[in-house]
Amino acid sequence: MDLKNPGTAMSLILTEVRSGTLPKTFLIEGKDEASRKEAARICAAALVCESDEVPCTECNACKKVLEGRHPDVTVINAGEDKVGVDDIRKVRLDANISPFEAECKIVIFDGAQNLNVQSQNALLKILEEPPRSVYFILTAPSSKLLLQTVDSRCAKFSLGSLSAKDVYRSVCDVSGGLSDKDNARVCNAVLYLDGFVPSEKSIASLKNAIDICTDFYMSGRFPFDRLPSKKEESADLQLILRVLSLCSLEILRAKKGTPVQDGGILGKEALDIAVMRTPLKTSYSRSAFFAELSERIDENANISAVTASLRAGIYD
């Protein structure tokens, strides 16, 4: 990150650090995981920096933070570590211990959207009343991925949406050798999937979702046998439903004469067939129907019940 031109969100954060008005609990949101991580560490460095112009990145405190070895900065990778209620309790206890070197302590929750409901609820009390010398920094693709009760207690700084070029680069880095055509379709989906974080696993799941949607519109028959059926696969089913909803909107736009770049998510051939076969009213109703089923999964609906609803309503 160029600290001479850090962008609107980081400029605002650093201004508040320098003026002493930075909220004790805040969320850094944005689609690019690396940018979120870097922004959180720069914020932490600024808070403990020993220079007049923070963060200098050259003082001993800044170097320790950026190298991951400052005793007053704790980084919890919620995307890789299984963070339970007991872990949150340890954080709460540690937060009440005075800083070792700096004037404050910082706890960073990388990938806070991966904390389970119980862990997020356990965080609430300390987020509401953080100790005077402690800052909590959460990072996530979107505040919408957190519990509303947690979201409401965080000030939010958005790093902004990635450009199509940035998304394409991120997808190509982790897509495992997809063709240029498939990469383009995946990128078109990522640009509209709020909170989607490109990784090797997530891109593979998204490619599968797009293939299912394409086959459906190419053949006119829904491939129910290819849907995930296990409880632990509910996120994959939700992704398929979200892509189905996006495809319905894409068909709707095409039917109204709005150009769809690069064939959109479905690809030109499948999109042309879908536009020819799908009535305008059906495109409207399907988009809402798929979105509603996706929301049911957010509400912990049984995966079999959601699939049954899809089977019952897909051709209505």
Side-chain angles (χ1 to χ4, degrees):
M1 183 176 289
D2 181 4
L3 290 178
K4 293 181 180 179
N5 184 27
T8 303
M10 279 304 302
S11 294
L12 181 57
I13 292 172
L14 295 179
T15 296
E16 295 202 13
V17 170
R18 291 161 187 157
S19 65
T21 58
L22 186 69
K24 292 290 185 179
T25 300
F26 61 95
L27 169 71
I28 297 174
E29 60 179 359
K31 284 193 172 182
D32 186 57
E33 181 179 12
S35 296
R36 297 195 307 269
K37 287 177 178 287
E38 185 180 16
R41 282 152 184 73
I42 289 174
C43 290
L47 285 165
V48 302
C49 181
E50 298 165 348
S51 173
D52 292 333
E53 188 62 25
V54 302
C56 68
T57 72
E58 294 297 329
C59 70
N60 190 43
C62 278
K63 286 181 178 179
K64 282 185 177 182
V65 173
L66 298 177
E67 292 169 5
R69 55 186 181 87
H70 197 292
D72 294 318
V73 179
T74 301
V75 179
I76 298 171
N77 192 331
E80 295 180 4
D81 305 326
K82 290 186 177 180
V83 182
V85 173
D86 287 342
D87 298 301
I88 301 299
R89 287 174 181 152
K90 289 178 183 177
V91 169
R92 285 160 52 181
L93 288 172
D94 183 67
N96 287 292
I97 299 174
S98 299
F100 292 98
E101 294 182 4
E103 294 182 0
C104 65
K105 300 179 81 167
I106 300 114
V107 182
I108 300 172
F109 285 94
D110 268 337
Q113 77 279 2
N114 294 303
L115 294 171
N116 61 33
V117 173
Q118 293 80 8
S119 296
Q120 290 192 55
N121 281 328
L123 262 180
L124 283 177
K125 180 64 176 177
I126 199 163
L127 293 184
E128 286 176 337
E129 300 175 11
R132 188 165 57 104
S133 60
V134 181
Y135 289 86
F136 290 95
I137 305 175
L138 283 66
T139 76
S142 168
S143 62
K144 296 177 183 177
L145 299 176
L146 302 176
L147 291 180
Q148 194 278 329
T149 47
V150 173
D151 174 30
S152 65
R153 285 160 177 77
C154 297
K156 283 176 277 294
F157 298 96
S158 177
L159 298 179
S161 300
L162 293 177
S163 67
K165 184 177 179 181
D166 289 334
V167 170
Y168 189 80
R169 187 186 68 248
S170 296
V171 167
C172 288
D173 286 345
V174 296
S175 63
L178 291 179
S179 68
D180 290 344
K181 189 176 293 186
D182 282 337
N183 272 329
R185 294 167 67 204
V186 168
C187 288
N188 287 334
V190 172
L191 286 167
Y192 289 99
L193 286 170
D194 188 34
F196 184 89
V197 181
S199 68
E200 186 174 347
K201 183 178 179 181
S202 67
I203 291 297
S205 297
L206 179 54
K207 173 63 167 53
N208 179 60
I210 292 172
D211 287 345
I212 287 174
C213 297
T214 303
D215 289 350
F216 169 48
Y217 284 107
M218 288 283 284
S219 68
R221 297 184 301 275
F222 196 90
F224 288 102
D225 59 314
R226 293 168 59 187
L227 292 181
S229 58
K230 299 176 182 176
K231 182 179 180 181
E232 57 269 24
E233 297 173 323
S234 61
D236 289 330
L237 177 59
Q238 185 175 47
L239 183 59
I240 292 167
L241 292 166
R242 292 177 72 190
V243 173
L244 280 166
S245 182
L246 287 176
C247 289
S248 295
L249 292 174
E250 192 170 84
I251 294 165
L252 190 60
R253 289 195 296 270
K255 287 184 76 68
K256 290 185 172 184
T258 304
V260 178
Q261 187 176 0
D262 301 324
I265 298 170
L266 288 171
K268 188 177 187 311
E269 183 182 2
L271 181 60
D272 288 345
I273 292 172
V275 168
M276 180 179 64
R277 288 178 173 172
T278 313
L280 194 64
K281 184 178 179 181
T282 301
S283 295
Y284 275 115
S285 61
R286 278 182 176 168
S287 177
F289 175 59
F290 296 139
E292 179 189 345
L293 292 182
S294 174
E295 289 174 4
R296 287 191 199 175
I297 294 178
D298 267 339
E299 296 165 358
N300 295 317
N302 181 279
I303 188 171
S304 297
V306 172
T307 302
S309 296
L310 177 63
R311 190 182 294 274
I314 188 72
Y315 298 116
D316 286 350

